[in-house]
């Protein structure tokens, strides 16, 4: 990244503020102002628990209109195992100029008012967690040391989804409302592109529709209109600037999304099948539940199997992506009052184990990934999800949970619990208080001597 001219006195002031741990500004939506600090606040503690063995994607040529604006300023200091963070203060234009096409690298652009050469000099796997007070935390995998924290991100209306592009160095977050029937003060949603290199907002686009868990692929984002929208629309959005360029149709009340090898997976909370784009078959189903709704799902590396959870159902199904048929269903028992009693699923990176939340009893069940699933372990959470309320939280505050494998497969992160499961022992081994109040906005980024090389995304997929 070419260096910018920085006034020496201002640089010294920023460095002094970072070192002294000055007060951080909490920006309102659109401010994008951010400050950063490292240290042990919000850090990890050891955990304990028990384990026992035992419609087709048709495209249109244009999307609905949107507006965007963002400015970002950041100062940062960090401490911890094998990690450091350099200061970056910048104002980012809504055009997103200089980002480059997503997936093709290039440093995030700023307007030239101020920048500091470098970026976060992290090394190894860094786990990022958002909270709805506008904060973003970074932890070193394994030691769980907090290596950085940024505040003032414009996400105080509630994060709805997350994904990242390691080549472009961008973390994407949808936030705000999930459609006209959303239960809070927000109806429409927004998309924040946050540079992990400059630690500043690149753009923050406001849509005229809701948002939910999206997916990044081939330079575009597939953004669902939201689970509180009575339609079947996913918006195709350019990752480089947040502009909408088309739509695709999927499950009703669009909620969850995956992308791999040009294939799209669309789950709606008022549908009985998972919809597919780019496949010979158009959907996988039907749901074994008496209640409509596709909930968290994942796929194997070969894209021959999909593992799906459902509304009103404790358990999951195995689906055949070549025939669209359900091969097997595992029923954990009578559901509780949660709309999605198993709102969390992750496939180990080696493709051998499926982790599924059994939120009603605050457990995770571990099965092999075969077409005739066999229970391998039951993990009791050290910190319960249900019943629980996220704090802080602007809306949709009931704790539902979400689980995700680390990219190396050593750990499973449990959103809304805060527990981190050691996959070798199938027991909780650490706890992050920030993770206990997050389910939509966390993922892992892989760094190698200050260079981003990979991500877990927000869904635990099979890679081999």
């Amino acid at each position: 990244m070419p260096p910018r001219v920085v006034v020496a006195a201002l640089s010294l002031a920023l460095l002094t503020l970072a070192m002294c741990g000055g007060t951080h500004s909490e920006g309102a939506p659109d401010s994008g102002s951010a400050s950063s600090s490292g240290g042990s606040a919000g850090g990890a503690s050891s955990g304990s628990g028990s384990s026992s063995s035992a419609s087709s994607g048709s495209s249109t040529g244009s999307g609905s209109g949107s507006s965007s604006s963002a400015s970002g300023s950041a100062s940062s200091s960090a401490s911890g195992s094998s990690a450091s963070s350099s200061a970056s203060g910048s104002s980012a234009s809504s055009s997103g100029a200089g980002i480059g096409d997503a997936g093709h690298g290039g440093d995030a652009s700023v307007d030239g008012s101020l920048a500091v050469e470098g970026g976060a000099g992290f090394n190894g796997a860094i786990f990022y967690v958002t909270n709805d007070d506008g904060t973003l935390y970074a932890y070193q995998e394994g030691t769980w040391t907090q290596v950085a924290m940024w505040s003032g991100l414009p996400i105080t209306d509630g994060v709805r989804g997350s994904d990242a592009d390691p080549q472009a160095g961008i973390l994407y977050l949808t936030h705000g409302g999930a459609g006209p029937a959303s239960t809070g003060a927000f109806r429409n949603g927004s998309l924040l592109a946050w540079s992990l290199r400059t630690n500043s907002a690149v753009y923050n686009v406001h849509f005229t529709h809701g948002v939910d868990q999206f997916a990044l692929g081939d330079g575009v984002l597939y953004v669902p209109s939201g689970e509180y929208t009575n339609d079947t629309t996913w918006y195709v959005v350019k990752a480089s600037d947040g502009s909408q360029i088309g739509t695709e149709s999927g499950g009703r009340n669009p909620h969850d999304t995956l992308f791999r090898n040009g294939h799209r997976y669309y789950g709606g909370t008022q549908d009985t099948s998972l919809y597919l784009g780019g496949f010979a078959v158009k959907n996988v189903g039907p749901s074994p539940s008496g209640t409509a709704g596709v909930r968290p799902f994942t796929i194997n590396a070969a894209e021959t199997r999909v593992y799906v959870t459902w509304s009103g159902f404790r358990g999951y199904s195995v689906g055949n992506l070549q025939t669209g048929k359900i091969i097997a269903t595992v029923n954990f028992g009578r559901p509780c009052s949660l709309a999605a009693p198993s709102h969390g699923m992750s496939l180990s990176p080696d493709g051998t184990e499926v982790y599924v939340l059994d939120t009603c009893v605050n457990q995770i069940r571990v099965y092999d990934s075969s077409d005739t699933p066999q229970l391998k372990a039951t993990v009791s959470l050290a910190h319960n999800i249900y019943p629980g309320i996220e704090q802080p939280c602007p809306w949709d505050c009931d704790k539902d949970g979400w689980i995700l494998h680390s990219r190396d497969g050593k750990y499973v992160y449990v959103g809304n619990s805060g527990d981190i499961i050691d996959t070798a022992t199938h027991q909780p081994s650490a706890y992050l208080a920030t993770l206990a109040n997050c389910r939509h906005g966390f993922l892992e980024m892989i760094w190698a001597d200050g260079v981003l090389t990979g991500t877990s995304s927000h869904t635990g997929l099979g890679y081999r």
Side-chain angles (χ1 to χ4, degrees):
M1 179 171 66
R4 310 284 204 280
V5 177
V6 183
V7 179
L10 185 54
S11 296
L12 180 59
L14 283 170
L15 181 59
T16 301
L17 178 63
M19 293 178 64
C20 294
T23 301
H24 305 315
S25 171
E26 296 288 339
D30 286 330
S31 70
S33 61
S35 60
S36 149
S37 66
S40 59
S45 63
S46 61
S48 62
S50 62
S51 171
S52 61
S53 295
S55 123
S56 66
S58 59
S59 282
T60 63
S62 62
S64 60
S66 61
S67 62
S68 62
S69 63
S71 62
S73 61
S75 62
S76 66
S77 64
S79 62
S81 175
S82 303
S84 63
S85 175
S86 66
S88 173
S90 57
S91 175
S93 66
S94 63
S95 68
I99 265 187
D101 293 334
H104 291 80
D107 293 318
S109 174
V110 297
D111 67 1
S113 61
L114 176 67
V116 177
E117 178 69 14
F122 296 134
N123 194 41
I126 302 296
F127 181 55
Y128 290 83
V129 184
T130 64
N131 277 177
D132 286 342
D133 57 359
T135 51
L136 172 65
Y137 296 83
Y139 302 92
Q140 189 81 43
E141 182 198 297
T143 67
W144 312 116
T145 302
Q146 180 185 306
V147 294
M149 185 274 281
W150 303 269
S151 63
L153 278 71
I155 55 174
T156 54
D157 50 356
V159 172
R160 299 296 299 176
S162 53
D163 206 345
D165 184 342
Q167 289 183 291
I170 304 295
L171 169 66
Y172 298 96
L173 299 169
T174 48
H175 59 97
S182 296
T183 57
F186 312 101
R187 300 295 182 267
N188 296 334
S190 302
L191 172 66
L192 172 66
W194 179 264
S195 173
L196 297 171
R197 292 172 174 157
T198 65
N199 301 317
S200 59
V202 179
Y203 62 74
N204 189 37
V205 174
H206 306 294
F207 297 126
T208 57
H209 55 77
V211 295
D212 247 314
Q213 178 59 52
F214 62 99
L216 170 68
D218 293 342
V220 298
L221 307 171
Y222 296 87
V223 180
S225 62
E227 65 172 312
Y228 297 104
T229 304
N230 187 28
D231 65 22
T232 61
T233 304
W234 268 257
Y235 293 88
V236 183
V237 176
K238 288 176 65 177
S240 59
D241 60 12
S243 62
Q244 293 176 174
I245 57 176
T247 61
E248 292 194 353
S249 182
R252 183 159 296 279
N253 291 45
H255 187 47
D256 286 324
T257 320
L258 282 181
F259 178 96
R260 175 172 271 178
N261 299 323
H263 301 137
R264 286 87 64 207
Y265 301 77
Y266 295 145
T269 59
Q270 290 299 316
D271 222 308
T272 57
S273 295
L274 173 68
Y275 280 72
L276 309 175
F279 283 89
V281 297
K282 304 306 180 186
N283 51 54
V284 176
S287 167
S289 175
T291 303
V294 175
R295 294 299 179 160
F297 54 90
T298 186
I299 54 176
N300 65 353
E303 292 187 272
T304 58
R305 294 293 182 267
V306 60
Y307 306 87
V308 191
T309 63
W310 313 94
S311 294
F313 190 79
R314 281 176 64 198
Y316 74 103
S317 297
V318 182
N320 187 323
L321 288 168
Q322 297 166 322
T323 66
K325 304 296 184 181
I326 298 297
I327 299 170
T329 293
V330 180
N331 190 330
F332 297 167
R334 185 175 180 177
C336 56
S337 62
L338 291 169
S342 291
H343 196 270
M345 164 170 279
S346 185
L347 182 62
S348 60
D350 66 5
T352 62
E353 291 186 335
V354 180
Y355 281 61
V356 186
L357 264 179
D358 191 2
T359 317
C360 298
V361 294
N362 290 295
Q363 292 180 339
I364 293 175
R365 296 199 183 198
V366 184
Y367 287 83
D368 66 31
S369 59
S370 70
D371 292 349
T372 56
Q374 302 298 310
L375 181 66
K376 298 183 68 175
T378 300
V379 183
S380 294
L381 298 176
H383 300 84
N384 289 349
I385 296 174
Y386 174 77
I389 300 294
E390 288 187 7
Q391 295 178 340
C393 176
W395 76 286
D396 194 16
C397 299
D398 287 342
K399 288 188 173 184
D400 293 323
W402 188 277
I403 57 178
L404 169 70
H405 274 82
S406 61
R407 186 60 183 82
D408 59 15
K410 293 180 179 179
Y411 303 99
V412 169
Y413 304 109
V414 187
N416 280 163
S417 162
D419 284 354
I420 299 171
I421 309 299
D422 185 325
T423 59
T425 64
H426 293 129
Q427 293 212 27
S429 61
Y431 171 78
L432 295 175
T434 52
L435 183 59
N437 289 296
C438 179
R439 67 184 183 275
H440 296 307
F442 63 86
L443 49 70
E444 200 175 71
M445 301 299 298
I446 314 303
W447 293 80
D449 297 324
V451 177
L452 280 164
T453 62
T455 182
S456 65
S457 80
H458 187 53
T459 301
L461 306 174
Y463 291 93
R464 58 184 185 273

